[in-house]
């Protein structure tokens, strides 16, 4: 099975929740001072530094974020942005009861493969709390670009009609730097409609100088994650996990695609369809 990279997400890794000033400092005139006075610099109270955004550099220690690593450097004035299809409550209610059994299966699989117990159990500790399907990469976007970007997405998506998709096939994905692995469910119905939608999102991103989605798009909903690179699932394992999802012979609940969401930092911008 070929490697398909998955951008860290998202949904659980929002960055830069508030805009920051990205303007370069203005040139300052040389000021001659009395050299007879002390050369010791004035000390600015730490409270003032904190209030006006000064002081120490942003702390990006992965240990403070569950071991997650940035996929791009933090730059003042940039917001982490991506576009996705939100999963309805009916789908979440269908899949949530099955996840403990699914995660227990993956824990046993990891222990059998010799993974440390804590890492093998990490899927259970890190369920996705905001189920969605990405149709763009997570990219840094400057604050002044957000409004025209979302407006253009709305204009080009308002001609779409709502449609249903089905996700079911279990699969393991890795993010771009393979620092995290995700248990996901692949789309098994509605791929052509999603491809049409993706072409529109890609075109808008390119117009704003942003990268397209992955060349070989693989539409999926991630339901849990763990640190490191977890081996892909075999066909037998995929079938066994599928049986756990249908533990009581319940049918897969479809996902109604009637809008997109553009998430910038912690702000959500709905992109509505025609119907």
């Amino acid at each position: 099975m070929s490697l398909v990279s998955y951008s860290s997400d998202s949904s659980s890794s929002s960055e830069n929740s508030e805009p920051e000033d990205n303007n370069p400092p203005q040139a300052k005139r040389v000021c001659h001072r009395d050299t007879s006075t002390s050369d010791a610099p004035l000390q600015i109270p730490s409270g003032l530094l904190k209030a006006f955004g000064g002081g120490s550099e942003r702390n990006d220690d992965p240990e403070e974020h569950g071991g997650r690593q940035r996929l791009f450097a933090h730059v003042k004035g940039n917001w982490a942005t991506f576009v996705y299809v939100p999963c309805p409550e009916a789908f979440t209610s269908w899949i949530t009861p099955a996840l403990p059994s699914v995660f227990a299966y993956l824990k046993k699989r990891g222990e059998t493969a010799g993974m440390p117990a804590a890492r093998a159990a990490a899927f259970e500790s890190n369920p996705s709390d905001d189920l969605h399907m990405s149709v763009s990469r997570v990219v840094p976007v400057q604050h002044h670009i957000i409004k025209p970007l979302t407006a253009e997405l709305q204009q080009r998506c308002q001609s779409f009609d709502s449609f249903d998709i089905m996700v079911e096939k279990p699969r393991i994905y890795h993010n771009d730097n393979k620092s995290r692995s995700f248990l996901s469910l692949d789309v098994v119905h509605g791929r052509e409609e999603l491809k049409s939608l993706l072409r529109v999102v890609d075109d808008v991103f390119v117009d704003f100088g942003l990268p397209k989605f992955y060349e070989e798009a693989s539409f999926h909903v991630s339901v849990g994650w763990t640190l490191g690179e977890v081996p892909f699932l075999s066909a037998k394992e995929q079938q066994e996990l599928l049986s756990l999802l249908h533990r009581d012979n319940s049918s897969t609940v479809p996902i109604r695609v009637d809008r997109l969401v553009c998430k910038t930092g912690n702000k959500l911008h709905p992109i509505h369809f025609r119907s």
Side-chain angles (χ1 to χ4, degrees):
M1 186 179 294
S2 61
L3 174 65
V4 181
S5 294
Y6 180 77
S7 186
S8 177
D9 97 22
S10 73
S11 62
S12 60
S13 323
S14 298
E15 313 214 17
N16 301 335
S17 61
E18 295 182 0
E20 300 171 285
D21 185 11
N22 198 37
N23 294 323
Q26 297 181 355
K28 296 180 177 59
R29 294 178 298 175
V30 176
C31 180
H32 299 283
R33 61 187 175 89
D34 186 354
T35 56
S36 63
T37 60
S38 171
D39 286 336
L42 293 175
Q43 297 298 317
I44 302 175
S46 59
L48 286 177
L49 281 173
K50 214 174 269 188
F52 292 96
S56 60
E57 293 293 324
R58 186 186 182 96
N59 186 356
D60 287 332
D61 184 359
E63 294 301 320
E64 296 188 6
H65 303 281
R68 292 173 293 183
Q69 301 175 10
R70 284 185 180 274
L71 293 180
F72 47 82
H74 166 69
V75 177
K76 286 187 176 183
N78 282 358
W79 289 42
T81 300
F82 74 108
V83 182
Y84 65 86
V85 174
C87 291
E89 182 61 34
F91 177 82
T92 302
S93 298
W94 169 75
I95 196 172
T96 299
L99 291 181
S101 297
V102 169
F103 293 152
Y105 177 96
L106 292 174
K107 177 182 178 182
K108 183 177 179 180
R109 174 184 185 250
E111 291 173 342
T112 302
M115 291 172 58
R119 184 179 169 196
F123 278 112
E124 187 173 6
S125 303
N126 300 301
S128 298
D129 55 5
D130 182 18
L131 298 180
H132 66 271
M133 177 182 302
S134 296
V135 289
S136 84
R137 297 176 186 249
V138 180
V139 296
V141 173
Q142 291 186 329
H143 182 253
H144 69 278
I145 298 297
I146 294 172
K147 188 173 181 179
L149 174 67
T150 54
E152 188 66 20
L153 285 168
Q154 179 61 73
Q155 181 181 354
R156 298 201 198 182
C157 289
Q158 63 186 3
S159 62
F160 279 89
D161 292 319
S162 303
F163 58 92
D164 288 336
I165 60 174
M166 300 281 282
V167 297
E168 191 172 62
K169 184 180 178 182
R171 192 174 180 184
I172 295 291
Y173 286 85
H174 306 133
N175 64 353
D176 287 339
N177 63 5
K178 300 181 183 179
S179 62
R180 286 203 288 164
S181 298
F182 300 81
L183 173 65
S184 304
L185 301 179
D186 275 3
V187 169
V188 295
H189 172 74
R191 285 185 53 82
E192 292 307 312
E193 292 87 344
L194 286 170
K195 285 180 180 179
S196 297
L197 193 58
L198 177 61
R199 282 194 289 270
V200 170
V201 176
D202 272 349
D203 287 346
V204 173
F205 269 45
V206 169
D207 286 349
F208 282 83
L210 302 172
K212 290 183 177 182
F213 201 49
Y214 301 101
E215 195 65 34
E216 296 182 8
S218 182
F219 302 108
H220 57 276
V221 175
S222 294
V223 297
W225 63 272
T226 186
L227 295 175
E229 185 178 0
V230 172
F232 293 118
L233 298 171
S234 67
K236 178 175 180 291
E237 290 170 333
Q238 286 179 325
Q239 191 58 47
E240 289 173 344
L241 283 172
L242 193 57
S243 297
L244 291 174
L245 290 175
H246 296 284
R247 63 217 168 274
D248 55 1
N249 295 319
S250 61
S251 299
T252 304
V253 173
I255 295 174
R256 185 70 170 171
V257 183
D258 56 8
R259 71 189 188 282
L260 297 176
V261 174
C262 181
K263 185 171 185 178
T264 58
N266 288 329
K267 297 182 180 180
L268 305 181
H269 306 269
I271 309 297
H272 298 287
F273 292 178
R274 177 170 56 193
S275 63

